[in-house]
Short mmCIF file of all heavy atoms in Angstrom, two decimals:
data_model
loop_
_atom_site.label_atom_id
_atom_site.label_comp_id
_atom_site.label_asym_id
_atom_site.label_seq_id
_atom_site.Cartn_x
_atom_site.Cartn_y
_atom_site.Cartn_z
N MET J 12 -18.04 201.70 153.67
CA MET J 12 -16.67 201.30 153.47
C MET J 12 -16.24 201.71 152.07
O MET J 12 -16.90 201.36 151.10
CB MET J 12 -16.55 199.79 153.67
CG MET J 12 -15.25 199.17 153.27
SD MET J 12 -13.79 199.52 154.28
CE MET J 12 -14.34 199.26 155.90
N TYR J 13 -15.18 202.43 151.97
CA TYR J 13 -14.65 202.85 150.68
C TYR J 13 -13.32 202.15 150.41
O TYR J 13 -12.48 202.05 151.31
CB TYR J 13 -14.43 204.37 150.65
CG TYR J 13 -15.72 205.13 150.74
CD1 TYR J 13 -16.11 205.71 151.94
CD2 TYR J 13 -16.54 205.26 149.64
CE1 TYR J 13 -17.30 206.41 152.04
CE2 TYR J 13 -17.73 205.96 149.73
CZ TYR J 13 -18.10 206.53 150.93
OH TYR J 13 -19.28 207.21 151.02
N LEU J 14 -13.16 201.67 149.21
CA LEU J 14 -11.92 201.03 148.81
C LEU J 14 -11.23 201.90 147.77
O LEU J 14 -10.79 201.43 146.73
CB LEU J 14 -12.21 199.64 148.23
CG LEU J 14 -12.92 198.66 149.17
CD1 LEU J 14 -13.27 197.38 148.43
CD2 LEU J 14 -12.05 198.37 150.37
N ASN J 15 -11.14 203.19 148.06
CA ASN J 15 -10.64 204.13 147.06
C ASN J 15 -9.16 203.97 146.74
O ASN J 15 -8.69 204.51 145.75
CB ASN J 15 -10.94 205.57 147.48
CG ASN J 15 -10.29 205.93 148.80
OD1 ASN J 15 -9.86 205.06 149.54
ND2 ASN J 15 -10.25 207.20 149.10
N ASP J 16 -8.41 203.21 147.53
CA ASP J 16 -6.99 203.07 147.26
C ASP J 16 -6.60 201.67 146.80
O ASP J 16 -5.43 201.40 146.56
CB ASP J 16 -6.17 203.46 148.48
CG ASP J 16 -6.40 202.53 149.67
OD1 ASP J 16 -7.44 201.85 149.70
OD2 ASP J 16 -5.55 202.49 150.56
N ILE J 17 -7.56 200.77 146.63
CA ILE J 17 -7.21 199.39 146.30
C ILE J 17 -6.63 199.28 144.88
O ILE J 17 -5.69 198.52 144.65
CB ILE J 17 -8.40 198.42 146.50
CG1 ILE J 17 -7.89 196.97 146.46
CG2 ILE J 17 -9.49 198.67 145.50
CD1 ILE J 17 -8.90 195.96 146.94
N GLU J 18 -7.15 200.06 143.94
CA GLU J 18 -6.61 200.01 142.58
C GLU J 18 -5.15 200.50 142.57
O GLU J 18 -4.28 199.90 141.95
CB GLU J 18 -7.45 200.81 141.61
CG GLU J 18 -6.99 200.66 140.18
CD GLU J 18 -7.89 201.37 139.19
OE1 GLU J 18 -8.65 202.28 139.59
OE2 GLU J 18 -7.81 201.02 138.02
N GLU J 19 -4.89 201.59 143.28
CA GLU J 19 -3.53 202.11 143.39
C GLU J 19 -2.62 201.08 144.07
O GLU J 19 -1.47 200.90 143.68
CB GLU J 19 -3.52 203.42 144.17
CG GLU J 19 -2.15 204.03 144.30
CD GLU J 19 -2.18 205.33 145.09
OE1 GLU J 19 -3.26 205.90 145.29
OE2 GLU J 19 -1.08 205.75 145.50
N TYR J 20 -3.15 200.38 145.06
CA TYR J 20 -2.40 199.34 145.76
C TYR J 20 -1.97 198.25 144.78
O TYR J 20 -0.82 197.81 144.79
CB TYR J 20 -3.26 198.76 146.89
CG TYR J 20 -2.57 197.73 147.72
CD1 TYR J 20 -1.64 198.09 148.69
CD2 TYR J 20 -2.84 196.38 147.57
CE1 TYR J 20 -1.01 197.14 149.48
CE2 TYR J 20 -2.22 195.43 148.34
CZ TYR J 20 -1.31 195.81 149.29
OH TYR J 20 -0.67 194.87 150.06
N PHE J 21 -2.88 197.82 143.90
CA PHE J 21 -2.55 196.81 142.90
C PHE J 21 -1.54 197.35 141.89
O PHE J 21 -0.59 196.66 141.51
CB PHE J 21 -3.81 196.34 142.18
CG PHE J 21 -4.51 195.20 142.88
CD1 PHE J 21 -5.26 195.42 144.02
CD2 PHE J 21 -4.44 193.91 142.38
CE1 PHE J 21 -5.91 194.38 144.67
CE2 PHE J 21 -5.09 192.86 143.01
CZ PHE J 21 -5.82 193.09 144.17
N MET J 22 -1.72 198.60 141.45
CA MET J 22 -0.83 199.20 140.46
C MET J 22 0.60 199.33 140.99
O MET J 22 1.55 199.02 140.28
CB MET J 22 -1.35 200.57 140.03
CG MET J 22 -2.57 200.52 139.16
SD MET J 22 -3.34 202.13 138.84
CE MET J 22 -1.98 203.17 138.44
N THR J 23 0.75 199.81 142.21
CA THR J 23 2.08 200.04 142.76
C THR J 23 2.76 198.78 143.26
O THR J 23 3.95 198.80 143.55
CB THR J 23 2.03 201.08 143.91
OG1 THR J 23 1.15 200.58 144.93
CG2 THR J 23 1.55 202.42 143.41
N SER J 24 2.02 197.68 143.34
CA SER J 24 2.59 196.41 143.80
C SER J 24 3.12 195.57 142.65
O SER J 24 3.57 194.45 142.86
CB SER J 24 1.53 195.62 144.57
OG SER J 24 1.14 196.31 145.71
N GLY J 25 3.05 196.08 141.44
CA GLY J 25 3.58 195.35 140.30
C GLY J 25 2.64 194.31 139.72
O GLY J 25 3.06 193.45 138.95
N PHE J 26 1.37 194.37 140.07
CA PHE J 26 0.39 193.42 139.55
C PHE J 26 0.22 193.63 138.05
O PHE J 26 0.17 194.77 137.59
CB PHE J 26 -0.94 193.60 140.29
CG PHE J 26 -1.99 192.62 139.89
CD1 PHE J 26 -1.83 191.27 140.14
CD2 PHE J 26 -3.14 193.03 139.25
CE1 PHE J 26 -2.81 190.36 139.78
CE2 PHE J 26 -4.12 192.14 138.88
CZ PHE J 26 -3.95 190.79 139.15
N ASP J 27 0.13 192.54 137.28
CA ASP J 27 0.13 192.66 135.82
C ASP J 27 -1.21 193.12 135.23
O ASP J 27 -1.23 193.86 134.28
CB ASP J 27 0.58 191.35 135.16
CG ASP J 27 -0.29 190.15 135.52
OD1 ASP J 27 -1.14 190.27 136.42
OD2 ASP J 27 -0.10 189.10 134.90
N GLY J 28 -2.33 192.69 135.77
CA GLY J 28 -3.63 193.11 135.24
C GLY J 28 -3.84 192.62 133.82
O GLY J 28 -3.22 191.66 133.37
N VAL J 29 -4.75 193.27 133.11
CA VAL J 29 -5.11 192.90 131.75
C VAL J 29 -5.04 194.14 130.87
O VAL J 29 -5.64 195.17 131.19
CB VAL J 29 -6.54 192.29 131.70
CG1 VAL J 29 -6.96 192.01 130.28
CG2 VAL J 29 -6.61 191.02 132.53
N ASP J 30 -4.30 194.05 129.76
CA ASP J 30 -4.22 195.16 128.81
C ASP J 30 -5.41 195.11 127.86
O ASP J 30 -5.68 194.08 127.24
CB ASP J 30 -2.93 195.08 127.99
CG ASP J 30 -1.72 195.46 128.81
OD1 ASP J 30 -1.81 196.42 129.58
OD2 ASP J 30 -0.68 194.78 128.68
N ILE J 31 -6.12 196.23 127.75
CA ILE J 31 -7.23 196.36 126.81
C ILE J 31 -6.95 197.62 126.00
O ILE J 31 -7.31 198.72 126.41
CB ILE J 31 -8.58 196.46 127.54
CG1 ILE J 31 -8.81 195.22 128.38
CG2 ILE J 31 -9.72 196.66 126.55
CD1 ILE J 31 -10.07 195.23 129.19
N GLY J 32 -6.28 197.46 124.88
CA GLY J 32 -5.91 198.62 124.08
C GLY J 32 -4.97 199.51 124.85
O GLY J 32 -3.91 199.09 125.29
N MET J 33 -5.36 200.76 125.04
CA MET J 33 -4.54 201.72 125.77
C MET J 33 -4.86 201.73 127.26
O MET J 33 -4.35 202.56 128.00
CB MET J 33 -4.74 203.12 125.19
CG MET J 33 -4.26 203.23 123.75
SD MET J 33 -4.60 204.85 123.03
CE MET J 33 -3.64 205.92 124.07
N LEU J 34 -5.69 200.82 127.69
CA LEU J 34 -6.16 200.77 129.07
C LEU J 34 -5.66 199.50 129.75
O LEU J 34 -5.58 198.44 129.13
CB LEU J 34 -7.69 200.78 129.07
CG LEU J 34 -8.42 200.88 130.38
CD1 LEU J 34 -8.14 202.22 131.05
CD2 LEU J 34 -9.91 200.74 130.14
N LYS J 35 -5.30 199.59 131.01
CA LYS J 35 -4.90 198.42 131.78
C LYS J 35 -5.85 198.29 132.96
O LYS J 35 -6.01 199.22 133.75
CB LYS J 35 -3.46 198.56 132.26
CG LYS J 35 -2.95 197.29 132.88
CD LYS J 35 -1.45 197.36 133.03
CE LYS J 35 -0.92 195.94 132.99
NZ LYS J 35 0.48 195.86 132.79
N LEU J 36 -6.51 197.12 133.06
CA LEU J 36 -7.46 196.87 134.14
C LEU J 36 -6.85 195.93 135.17
O LEU J 36 -6.22 194.93 134.81
CB LEU J 36 -8.75 196.26 133.59
CG LEU J 36 -9.57 197.13 132.66
CD1 LEU J 36 -10.76 196.34 132.13
CD2 LEU J 36 -10.04 198.38 133.37
N PHE J 37 -7.06 196.24 136.42
CA PHE J 37 -6.58 195.41 137.52
C PHE J 37 -7.74 194.76 138.25
O PHE J 37 -7.69 193.58 138.57
CB PHE J 37 -5.76 196.25 138.50
CG PHE J 37 -4.59 196.91 137.87
CD1 PHE J 37 -4.66 198.21 137.40
CD2 PHE J 37 -3.39 196.22 137.72
CE1 PHE J 37 -3.58 198.82 136.81
CE2 PHE J 37 -2.30 196.82 137.13
CZ PHE J 37 -2.39 198.13 136.67
N VAL J 38 -8.75 195.55 138.55
CA VAL J 38 -9.93 195.06 139.27
C VAL J 38 -11.18 195.74 138.72
O VAL J 38 -11.11 196.84 138.17
CB VAL J 38 -9.83 195.33 140.79
CG1 VAL J 38 -8.74 194.51 141.43
CG2 VAL J 38 -9.61 196.79 141.09
N LEU J 39 -12.30 195.06 138.86
CA LEU J 39 -13.60 195.63 138.55
C LEU J 39 -14.43 195.62 139.83
O LEU J 39 -14.34 194.69 140.62
CB LEU J 39 -14.33 194.80 137.48
CG LEU J 39 -13.69 194.73 136.11
CD1 LEU J 39 -14.49 193.77 135.23
CD2 LEU J 39 -13.64 196.10 135.47
N PHE J 40 -15.23 196.65 140.01
CA PHE J 40 -16.07 196.76 141.20
C PHE J 40 -17.53 196.86 140.80
O PHE J 40 -17.86 197.53 139.82
CB PHE J 40 -15.74 198.04 141.99
CG PHE J 40 -14.32 198.11 142.45
CD1 PHE J 40 -13.40 198.87 141.77
CD2 PHE J 40 -13.92 197.42 143.57
CE1 PHE J 40 -12.09 198.95 142.19
CE2 PHE J 40 -12.62 197.49 144.00
CZ PHE J 40 -11.70 198.26 143.31
N TYR J 41 -18.39 196.21 141.56
CA TYR J 41 -19.83 196.38 141.41
C TYR J 41 -20.45 196.16 142.78
O TYR J 41 -20.35 195.05 143.33
CB TYR J 41 -20.42 195.41 140.39
CG TYR J 41 -21.90 195.61 140.21
CD1 TYR J 41 -22.37 196.67 139.46
CD2 TYR J 41 -22.81 194.77 140.83
CE1 TYR J 41 -23.72 196.88 139.30
CE2 TYR J 41 -24.17 194.98 140.69
CZ TYR J 41 -24.62 196.02 139.92
OH TYR J 41 -25.96 196.24 139.77
N ALA J 42 -21.06 197.19 143.34
CA ALA J 42 -21.65 197.14 144.68
C ALA J 42 -20.59 196.64 145.67
O ALA J 42 -19.58 197.30 145.86
CB ALA J 42 -22.90 196.29 144.68
N ASP J 43 -20.80 195.47 146.28
CA ASP J 43 -19.83 194.95 147.25
C ASP J 43 -19.00 193.80 146.68
O ASP J 43 -18.43 193.01 147.41
CB ASP J 43 -20.53 194.52 148.53
CG ASP J 43 -21.49 193.37 148.32
OD1 ASP J 43 -21.83 193.07 147.15
OD2 ASP J 43 -21.91 192.75 149.30
N ASP J 44 -18.91 193.73 145.35
CA ASP J 44 -18.15 192.67 144.69
C ASP J 44 -16.89 193.22 144.04
O ASP J 44 -16.86 194.36 143.58
CB ASP J 44 -19.00 191.99 143.60
CG ASP J 44 -20.21 191.28 144.16
OD1 ASP J 44 -20.08 190.70 145.26
OD2 ASP J 44 -21.27 191.31 143.52
N ILE J 45 -15.86 192.39 144.00
CA ILE J 45 -14.59 192.74 143.36
C ILE J 45 -14.22 191.59 142.43
O ILE J 45 -14.28 190.43 142.81
CB ILE J 45 -13.45 192.92 144.38
CG1 ILE J 45 -13.74 194.07 145.32
CG2 ILE J 45 -12.13 193.15 143.67
CD1 ILE J 45 -12.73 194.21 146.44
N VAL J 46 -13.81 191.93 141.21
CA VAL J 46 -13.29 190.95 140.26
C VAL J 46 -11.83 191.30 140.02
O VAL J 46 -11.52 192.43 139.64
CB VAL J 46 -14.07 190.99 138.93
CG1 VAL J 46 -13.46 190.00 137.94
CG2 VAL J 46 -15.54 190.70 139.15
N ILE J 47 -10.93 190.35 140.27
CA ILE J 47 -9.51 190.55 140.02
C ILE J 47 -9.22 190.02 138.61
O ILE J 47 -9.59 188.90 138.28
CB ILE J 47 -8.66 189.79 141.06
CG1 ILE J 47 -8.97 190.31 142.46
CG2 ILE J 47 -7.17 189.95 140.75
CD1 ILE J 47 -8.35 189.48 143.57
N LEU J 48 -8.54 190.83 137.80
CA LEU J 48 -8.28 190.46 136.41
C LEU J 48 -6.80 190.16 136.19
O LEU J 48 -5.94 190.91 136.64
CB LEU J 48 -8.70 191.60 135.49
CG LEU J 48 -10.17 192.02 135.59
CD1 LEU J 48 -10.39 193.29 134.80
CD2 LEU J 48 -11.05 190.91 135.08
N SER J 49 -6.54 189.08 135.48
CA SER J 49 -5.18 188.72 135.10
C SER J 49 -5.23 187.82 133.88
O SER J 49 -6.24 187.16 133.63
CB SER J 49 -4.47 188.01 136.25
OG SER J 49 -3.16 187.67 135.88
N GLU J 50 -4.14 187.79 133.14
CA GLU J 50 -4.07 186.94 131.95
C GLU J 50 -3.43 185.59 132.22
O GLU J 50 -3.35 184.76 131.32
CB GLU J 50 -3.32 187.67 130.84
CG GLU J 50 -4.07 188.90 130.36
CD GLU J 50 -3.37 189.64 129.24
OE1 GLU J 50 -2.28 189.19 128.81
OE2 GLU J 50 -3.92 190.65 128.80
N SER J 51 -2.97 185.34 133.44
CA SER J 51 -2.32 184.07 133.75
C SER J 51 -2.76 183.56 135.12
O SER J 51 -3.22 184.32 135.97
CB SER J 51 -0.80 184.22 133.72
OG SER J 51 -0.37 185.01 134.81
N GLU J 52 -2.58 182.28 135.33
CA GLU J 52 -2.90 181.67 136.61
C GLU J 52 -2.00 182.23 137.71
O GLU J 52 -2.45 182.54 138.81
CB GLU J 52 -2.72 180.16 136.51
CG GLU J 52 -3.10 179.41 137.76
CD GLU J 52 -2.96 177.91 137.60
OE1 GLU J 52 -3.00 177.40 136.47
OE2 GLU J 52 -2.78 177.24 138.64
N THR J 53 -0.73 182.39 137.39
CA THR J 53 0.23 182.95 138.35
C THR J 53 -0.13 184.38 138.71
O THR J 53 -0.08 184.78 139.87
CB THR J 53 1.66 182.89 137.79
OG1 THR J 53 1.96 181.54 137.44
CG2 THR J 53 2.67 183.40 138.78
N GLY J 54 -0.50 185.16 137.69
CA GLY J 54 -0.91 186.53 137.93
C GLY J 54 -2.14 186.62 138.81
O GLY J 54 -2.23 187.48 139.69
N LEU J 55 -3.09 185.72 138.58
CA LEU J 55 -4.31 185.71 139.40
C LEU J 55 -3.98 185.36 140.85
O LEU J 55 -4.51 185.98 141.77
CB LEU J 55 -5.32 184.73 138.83
CG LEU J 55 -6.67 184.68 139.53
CD1 LEU J 55 -7.33 186.05 139.55
CD2 LEU J 55 -7.58 183.67 138.85
N GLN J 56 -3.08 184.39 141.04
CA GLN J 56 -2.68 184.04 142.41
C GLN J 56 -2.00 185.23 143.08
O GLN J 56 -2.24 185.51 144.25
CB GLN J 56 -1.75 182.83 142.42
CG GLN J 56 -1.38 182.36 143.82
CD GLN J 56 -2.59 181.95 144.64
OE1 GLN J 56 -3.37 181.09 144.23
NE2 GLN J 56 -2.77 182.57 145.80
N ASN J 57 -1.17 185.95 142.33
CA ASN J 57 -0.54 187.16 142.87
C ASN J 57 -1.60 188.19 143.26
O ASN J 57 -1.47 188.86 144.29
CB ASN J 57 0.43 187.77 141.86
CG ASN J 57 1.66 186.93 141.65
OD1 ASN J 57 1.99 186.08 142.47
ND2 ASN J 57 2.33 187.14 140.54
N GLY J 58 -2.64 188.32 142.45
CA GLY J 58 -3.72 189.24 142.76
C GLY J 58 -4.46 188.84 144.02
O GLY J 58 -4.81 189.70 144.85
N LEU J 59 -4.69 187.56 144.20
CA LEU J 59 -5.35 187.07 145.43
C LEU J 59 -4.47 187.32 146.64
O LEU J 59 -4.97 187.68 147.72
CB LEU J 59 -5.68 185.59 145.30
CG LEU J 59 -6.79 185.24 144.31
CD1 LEU J 59 -6.88 183.74 144.12
CD2 LEU J 59 -8.12 185.82 144.77
N ASP J 60 -3.16 187.13 146.48
CA ASP J 60 -2.23 187.40 147.58
C ASP J 60 -2.23 188.88 147.95
O ASP J 60 -2.20 189.25 149.13
CB ASP J 60 -0.82 186.95 147.22
CG ASP J 60 -0.71 185.43 147.07
OD1 ASP J 60 -1.60 184.70 147.56
OD2 ASP J 60 0.27 184.98 146.43
N LEU J 61 -2.28 189.75 146.93
CA LEU J 61 -2.34 191.19 147.18
C LEU J 61 -3.64 191.57 147.89
O LEU J 61 -3.64 192.40 148.80
CB LEU J 61 -2.22 191.97 145.87
CG LEU J 61 -0.84 192.05 145.25
CD1 LEU J 61 -0.92 192.67 143.86
CD2 LEU J 61 0.09 192.84 146.14
N LEU J 62 -4.74 190.94 147.46
CA LEU J 62 -6.02 191.21 148.12
C LEU J 62 -5.97 190.78 149.58
O LEU J 62 -6.47 191.49 150.46
CB LEU J 62 -7.16 190.49 147.40
CG LEU J 62 -8.55 190.66 148.00
CD1 LEU J 62 -8.97 192.13 147.95
CD2 LEU J 62 -9.55 189.79 147.28
N GLU J 63 -5.34 189.65 149.86
CA GLU J 63 -5.20 189.19 151.24
C GLU J 63 -4.42 190.21 152.08
O GLU J 63 -4.82 190.56 153.19
CB GLU J 63 -4.50 187.84 151.28
CG GLU J 63 -4.31 187.32 152.69
CD GLU J 63 -3.56 186.00 152.75
OE1 GLU J 63 -2.82 185.68 151.80
OE2 GLU J 63 -3.73 185.30 153.76
N CYS J 64 -3.31 190.70 151.53
CA CYS J 64 -2.50 191.70 152.25
C CYS J 64 -3.29 192.99 152.48
O CYS J 64 -3.24 193.58 153.56
CB CYS J 64 -1.23 192.01 151.48
SG CYS J 64 -0.05 190.65 151.43
N TYR J 65 -4.04 193.42 151.46
CA TYR J 65 -4.84 194.63 151.58
C TYR J 65 -5.90 194.46 152.66
O TYR J 65 -6.10 195.34 153.50
CB TYR J 65 -5.50 194.94 150.23
CG TYR J 65 -6.30 196.22 150.24
CD1 TYR J 65 -5.68 197.43 149.99
CD2 TYR J 65 -7.66 196.22 150.49
CE1 TYR J 65 -6.41 198.61 150.00
CE2 TYR J 65 -8.39 197.39 150.51
CZ TYR J 65 -7.75 198.58 150.26
OH TYR J 65 -8.48 199.75 150.28
N CYS J 66 -6.57 193.31 152.66
CA CYS J 66 -7.62 193.05 153.66
C CYS J 66 -7.03 192.97 155.06
O CYS J 66 -7.64 193.46 156.02
CB CYS J 66 -8.37 191.77 153.32
SG CYS J 66 -9.43 191.94 151.87
N ASP J 67 -5.88 192.34 155.20
CA ASP J 67 -5.22 192.28 156.51
C ASP J 67 -4.88 193.67 157.01
O ASP J 67 -5.08 193.99 158.18
CB ASP J 67 -3.95 191.43 156.45
CG ASP J 67 -4.23 189.94 156.28
OD1 ASP J 67 -5.38 189.52 156.49
OD2 ASP J 67 -3.28 189.21 155.92
N ARG J 68 -4.37 194.51 156.10
CA ARG J 68 -3.97 195.86 156.46
C ARG J 68 -5.14 196.69 157.00
O ARG J 68 -5.00 197.43 157.97
CB ARG J 68 -3.37 196.54 155.24
CG ARG J 68 -2.98 197.97 155.44
CD ARG J 68 -2.41 198.53 154.16
NE ARG J 68 -2.10 199.91 154.31
CZ ARG J 68 -1.77 200.69 153.31
NH1 ARG J 68 -1.69 200.22 152.09
NH2 ARG J 68 -1.51 201.95 153.52
N TRP J 69 -6.31 196.55 156.36
CA TRP J 69 -7.47 197.35 156.73
C TRP J 69 -8.49 196.57 157.56
O TRP J 69 -9.59 197.04 157.79
CB TRP J 69 -8.14 197.92 155.48
CG TRP J 69 -7.25 198.90 154.79
CD1 TRP J 69 -6.57 198.73 153.63
CD2 TRP J 69 -6.92 200.21 155.26
NE1 TRP J 69 -5.84 199.84 153.33
CE2 TRP J 69 -6.03 200.78 154.30
CE3 TRP J 69 -7.28 200.97 156.37
CZ2 TRP J 69 -5.51 202.06 154.45
CZ3 TRP J 69 -6.76 202.25 156.50
CH2 TRP J 69 -5.89 202.77 155.55
N LYS J 70 -8.09 195.36 158.00
CA LYS J 70 -8.94 194.52 158.86
C LYS J 70 -10.29 194.21 158.21
O LYS J 70 -11.35 194.28 158.84
CB LYS J 70 -9.11 195.16 160.23
CG LYS J 70 -7.78 195.50 160.87
CD LYS J 70 -7.76 195.32 162.32
CE LYS J 70 -6.49 195.72 162.99
NZ LYS J 70 -5.26 195.57 162.39
N LEU J 71 -10.24 193.86 156.92
CA LEU J 71 -11.42 193.47 156.17
C LEU J 71 -11.46 191.95 156.08
O LEU J 71 -10.43 191.29 156.18
CB LEU J 71 -11.38 194.07 154.76
CG LEU J 71 -11.31 195.57 154.67
CD1 LEU J 71 -11.09 196.01 153.22
CD2 LEU J 71 -12.58 196.19 155.22
N GLN J 72 -12.66 191.40 155.89
CA GLN J 72 -12.82 189.97 155.75
C GLN J 72 -13.48 189.63 154.44
O GLN J 72 -14.49 190.25 154.07
CB GLN J 72 -13.70 189.41 156.88
CG GLN J 72 -12.95 188.75 157.96
CD GLN J 72 -13.90 188.11 158.96
OE1 GLN J 72 -14.99 188.62 159.21
NE2 GLN J 72 -13.46 187.04 159.53
N VAL J 73 -12.93 188.64 153.73
CA VAL J 73 -13.55 188.14 152.51
C VAL J 73 -14.48 187.01 152.91
O VAL J 73 -14.10 186.12 153.67
CB VAL J 73 -12.47 187.61 151.53
CG1 VAL J 73 -13.10 186.96 150.32
CG2 VAL J 73 -11.55 188.75 151.11
N ASN J 74 -15.71 187.05 152.41
CA ASN J 74 -16.67 186.00 152.71
C ASN J 74 -16.38 184.80 151.81
O ASN J 74 -16.77 184.76 150.65
CB ASN J 74 -18.10 186.51 152.48
CG ASN J 74 -19.14 185.53 152.93
OD1 ASN J 74 -18.88 184.35 153.09
ND2 ASN J 74 -20.35 186.04 153.11
N ILE J 75 -15.67 183.83 152.34
CA ILE J 75 -15.21 182.66 151.57
C ILE J 75 -16.38 181.85 151.05
O ILE J 75 -16.32 181.30 149.94
CB ILE J 75 -14.30 181.77 152.46
CG1 ILE J 75 -13.09 182.54 152.94
CG2 ILE J 75 -13.88 180.52 151.69
CD1 ILE J 75 -12.20 183.07 151.85
N SER J 76 -17.48 181.78 151.78
CA SER J 76 -18.63 180.99 151.33
C SER J 76 -19.30 181.59 150.09
O SER J 76 -20.00 180.89 149.36
CB SER J 76 -19.66 180.83 152.45
OG SER J 76 -20.23 182.07 152.79
N LYS J 77 -19.06 182.86 149.81
CA LYS J 77 -19.63 183.51 148.61
C LYS J 77 -18.60 183.67 147.51
O LYS J 77 -18.90 184.23 146.47
CB LYS J 77 -20.18 184.88 148.99
CG LYS J 77 -21.39 184.81 149.90
CD LYS J 77 -21.83 186.19 150.34
CE LYS J 77 -22.34 186.99 149.19
NZ LYS J 77 -22.82 188.32 149.59
N THR J 78 -17.40 183.16 147.72
CA THR J 78 -16.33 183.33 146.74
C THR J 78 -16.24 182.13 145.81
O THR J 78 -16.32 181.03 146.21
CB THR J 78 -14.97 183.53 147.46
OG1 THR J 78 -15.10 184.64 148.31
CG2 THR J 78 -13.86 183.76 146.49
#
């Protein structure tokens, strides 16, 4: 399973992410894990909502017991 468009999905959806100098981070990936980055509680909720929409679109399931 490749999630090659998820970062673009977050960027084009207006997600705020985290500014690190000249770089803006939205998500971090490691193996089968995803970390959503935001500087506010509201921004994080927006990121979770975007992840839900992305997963619904591609028929993916988040393992809630490991979250």
Side-chain angles (χ1 to χ4, degrees):
M12 170 70 48
Y13 295 102
L14 301 175
N15 60 345
D16 64 340
I17 193 168
E18 186 175 20
E19 181 180 345
Y20 183 77
F21 273 75
M22 288 172 46
T23 59
S24 297
F26 183 64
D27 59 350
V29 175
D30 287 319
I31 300 178
M33 296 176 62
L34 186 65
K35 189 166 207 165
L36 295 176
F37 302 95
V38 292
L39 296 175
F40 301 100
Y41 181 77
D43 64 346
D44 296 323
I45 297 174
V46 177
I47 300 171
L48 302 171
S49 180
E50 295 181 0
S51 69
E52 183 178 336
T53 304
L55 184 57
Q56 184 60 56
N57 290 341
L59 290 172
D60 294 342
L61 285 171
L62 179 63
E63 179 182 23
C64 291
Y65 183 86
C66 289
D67 289 345
R68 176 180 177 190
W69 294 107
K70 307 216 183 326
L71 301 172
Q72 258 186 327
V73 174
N74 187 340
I75 301 299
S76 65
K77 293 176 66 178
T78 303

